[in-house]
Amino acid sequence: MTTKRRKWPFVILSVLVMLLLAGVAYFSDYYRADDVALAALESDDGVTVEETEYGWRFDGPSTTAALVFYPGAKVEASAYAPLLHLLAHEGVDACLVRMPLNFALLDGDAAARVVGEHDYDDWYVGGHSLGGVAAAGFAADHASEVRGVLLCASYPNEKLDEGSVEIQVLGARDGVINREKVESARAYAPETFVERVIEGANHAQFGSYGKQDGDGEATITPEEQWRATVGAITAAIAEDVADVSGGADVNVVSDAD
């Protein structure tokens, strides 16, 4: 009996070590930003890119509207620099947030710190994939602080405030997103819900980190997907969708747009 009791601490310690090693292995295997993404972290004539404590700020001509963007799960945050650089250039400044272990659910309230650092009239929060889920959770809990949520290949998993705006951008060739969850999540959408589907777009090309396991093959280039995404976002904001009524507004954005 004494020998068996002595073995228990060793067994428990062994299990804890194995769990720790499994966790380290899981979070160490992530998608890294490619050279195109790293180049987009440089300022140009239209956008000033500033590295901050939370990540990066893409400061374009806008003085009124800004987006706090959460990266997808196990994706290096800087992989979204091309999309957000272009968004800032087209009139919506962007704040890209680094996440602990590249996992947005570990810091879902990160947007609160960002909003407190900058002065804009209209704040949106959003993200890609699981990052979008986390951002939607923040929007649901802080409806008075943000105007709406922008979701790239993502969906909310809780009810959004009826005074909010939900702008959802999906890729027609996305092989990663759970489409059943996309459909069921429409029950969580506010009255003002705008959906854009980009023909030829897949899951990974919202960022710039290469191919993703299980994804569909895109028939448009990453640059075309970024431009279509930015076009969908800026159009929805410019239309003042917060005043639109009558339910979902579903449109298709092709690679030619």
Side-chain angles (χ1 to χ4, degrees), residues 14-29 74:
S14 298
V15 171
L16 291 175
V17 169
M18 286 189 290
L19 290 174
L20 177 61
L21 292 175
V24 170
Y26 177 80
F27 287 110
S28 297
D29 181 21
K74 299 180 69 177

Coordinates of all heavy atoms in Angstrom, one line a residue, residues 14-29 74:
S14 N 4.0 13.3 -14.0 CA 4.2 12.8 -15.4 C 3.1 13.3 -16.3 O 3.3 13.8 -17.4 CB 4.3 11.3 -15.4 OG 5.4 10.8 -14.7
V15 N 1.8 13.2 -15.8 CA 0.7 13.7 -16.6 C 0.8 15.2 -16.8 O 0.6 15.7 -18.0 CB -0.6 13.3 -15.9 CG1 -1.8 14.0 -16.6 CG2 -0.8 11.8 -15.9
L16 N 1.1 15.9 -15.8 CA 1.2 17.4 -16.0 C 2.3 17.8 -16.9 O 2.2 18.7 -17.7 CB 1.5 18.0 -14.6 CG 0.4 18.0 -13.6 CD1 0.8 18.5 -12.2 CD2 -0.9 18.7 -14.1
V17 N 3.4 17.1 -16.9 CA 4.5 17.3 -17.8 C 4.1 17.1 -19.2 O 4.4 17.8 -20.2 CB 5.8 16.5 -17.4 CG1 6.8 16.6 -18.6 CG2 6.4 17.0 -16.1
M18 N 3.4 15.9 -19.4 CA 2.9 15.6 -20.8 C 1.9 16.6 -21.3 O 2.0 17.0 -22.5 CB 2.3 14.2 -20.8 CG 3.3 13.1 -20.7 SD 2.6 11.4 -20.9 CE 1.6 11.3 -19.5
L19 N 1.1 17.1 -20.4 CA 0.1 18.1 -20.9 C 0.8 19.4 -21.2 O 0.5 20.1 -22.2 CB -0.9 18.4 -19.7 CG -1.9 17.3 -19.5 CD1 -2.8 17.6 -18.3 CD2 -2.8 17.1 -20.7
L20 N 1.8 19.8 -20.4 CA 2.6 21.0 -20.7 C 3.3 20.9 -22.0 O 3.3 21.8 -22.8 CB 3.6 21.2 -19.6 CG 4.5 22.4 -19.7 CD1 3.7 23.7 -19.8 CD2 5.5 22.5 -18.6
L21 N 3.9 19.8 -22.3 CA 4.7 19.6 -23.5 C 3.7 19.6 -24.7 O 4.0 20.1 -25.8 CB 5.4 18.2 -23.5 CG 6.6 18.2 -22.5 CD1 7.2 16.8 -22.5 CD2 7.7 19.2 -22.9
A22 N 2.5 19.0 -24.5 CA 1.5 19.0 -25.6 C 1.1 20.4 -25.9 O 0.9 20.8 -27.1 CB 0.3 18.1 -25.2
G23 N 0.9 21.2 -24.8 CA 0.5 22.6 -25.0 C 1.6 23.4 -25.7 O 1.3 24.2 -26.6
V24 N 2.8 23.2 -25.3 CA 3.9 23.9 -26.0 C 4.0 23.6 -27.5 O 4.2 24.4 -28.3 CB 5.3 23.6 -25.3 CG1 6.4 24.1 -26.1 CG2 5.3 24.2 -23.9
A25 N 3.8 22.3 -27.8 CA 3.9 21.8 -29.1 C 2.7 22.4 -30.0 O 2.9 22.9 -31.1 CB 3.8 20.3 -29.2
Y26 N 1.6 22.5 -29.4 CA 0.4 23.0 -30.1 C 0.6 24.5 -30.4 O 0.3 24.9 -31.6 CB -0.9 22.8 -29.2 CG -2.1 23.4 -29.8 CD1 -2.8 22.7 -30.8 CD2 -2.6 24.7 -29.4 CE1 -4.0 23.2 -31.4 CE2 -3.7 25.2 -30.0 CZ -4.4 24.5 -31.0 OH -5.6 25.0 -31.5
F27 N 1.0 25.3 -29.4 CA 1.1 26.7 -29.7 C 2.3 27.1 -30.4 O 2.4 28.2 -31.0 CB 1.0 27.5 -28.4 CG -0.4 27.5 -27.8 CD1 -0.7 26.8 -26.6 CD2 -1.4 28.2 -28.4 CE1 -2.0 26.8 -26.1 CE2 -2.7 28.2 -27.9 CZ -3.0 27.5 -26.7
S28 N 3.3 26.2 -30.5 CA 4.5 26.5 -31.2 C 4.4 26.3 -32.7 O 5.1 26.8 -33.5 CB 5.7 25.7 -30.7 OG 6.0 26.0 -29.4
D29 N 3.3 25.6 -33.1 CA 3.1 25.3 -34.5 C 2.0 26.2 -35.0 O 0.8 26.0 -34.8 CB 2.6 23.8 -34.6 CG 2.3 23.4 -36.1 OD1 2.8 24.1 -37.0 OD2 1.5 22.5 -36.3
K74 N -3.7 30.9 -34.1 CA -2.4 30.3 -34.5 C -1.9 30.9 -35.8 O -1.3 30.2 -36.6 CB -2.5 28.7 -34.6 CG -2.9 28.1 -33.3 CD -3.0 26.6 -33.5 CE -1.6 25.9 -33.7 NZ -1.7 24.5 -33.8

